[in-house]
Amino acid sequence: AASDVYKRQIYVYDDELAKVIKQLSDRYRENVLMYYFLDMSDTEIAKLQNISRSGVFQNRHYALKQMKKSLEEEN
C-alpha cells in the first residue's frame, strides 16, 4: 500500500503493517512514515509539522502504542 507524505510516495509492502498505519491520524501516520521510512530526524519532522521536537517524539510514541494495540486486537 502506498501513502503520500509531503509529495513523496511511500510503499509499505507488509499488508498488516500498512493497515495499522492507515488507521492512524494524518499527523501520526506522517510522523511514523517520515521517521522509519524516510530516515528523517525528529528535528526535520518538527519543522515540517510545525511542532516541537519533543512533540514529534511524543506523537510517534503514541502512534506506535496505537499500532501495537491494533495489531494485538487482530491477532
Side-chain angles (χ1 to χ4, degrees), residues 1-4 16-26 29:
S3 292
D4 287 322
E16 197 172 20
L17 181 59
K19 184 178 176 183
V20 297
I21 289 173
K22 281 196 180 287
Q23 291 172 355
L24 297 171
S25 71
D26 290 345
R29 181 173 51 255

Side-chain angles (χ1 to χ4, degrees), residues 42-57:
D42 286 353
T43 302
E44 293 170 312
I45 297 168
K47 285 181 185 173
L48 284 173
Q49 291 191 330
N50 200 28
I51 61 174
S52 68
R53 246 181 71 227
S54 63
V56 169
F57 177 83

Side-chain angles (χ1 to χ4, degrees), residues 3-6 8 10 12 17 20-67:
S3 292
D4 287 322
V5 176
Y6 292 98
R8 295 185 64 184
I10 298 170
V12 179
L17 181 59
V20 297
I21 289 173
K22 281 196 180 287
Q23 291 172 355
L24 297 171
S25 71
D26 290 345
R27 179 173 290 262
Y28 292 147
R29 181 173 51 255
E30 289 170 357
N31 182 317
V32 168
L33 292 173
M34 286 188 285
Y35 187 79
Y36 291 106
F37 290 80
L38 298 179
D39 281 332
M40 294 175 70
S41 69
D42 286 353
T43 302
E44 293 170 312
I45 297 168
K47 285 181 185 173
L48 284 173
Q49 291 191 330
N50 200 28
I51 61 174
S52 68
R53 246 181 71 227
S54 63
V56 169
F57 177 83
Q58 289 169 356
N59 285 349
R60 187 170 54 254
H61 180 75
Y62 179 79
L64 293 174
K65 279 177 64 173
Q66 289 298 105
M67 291 170 63

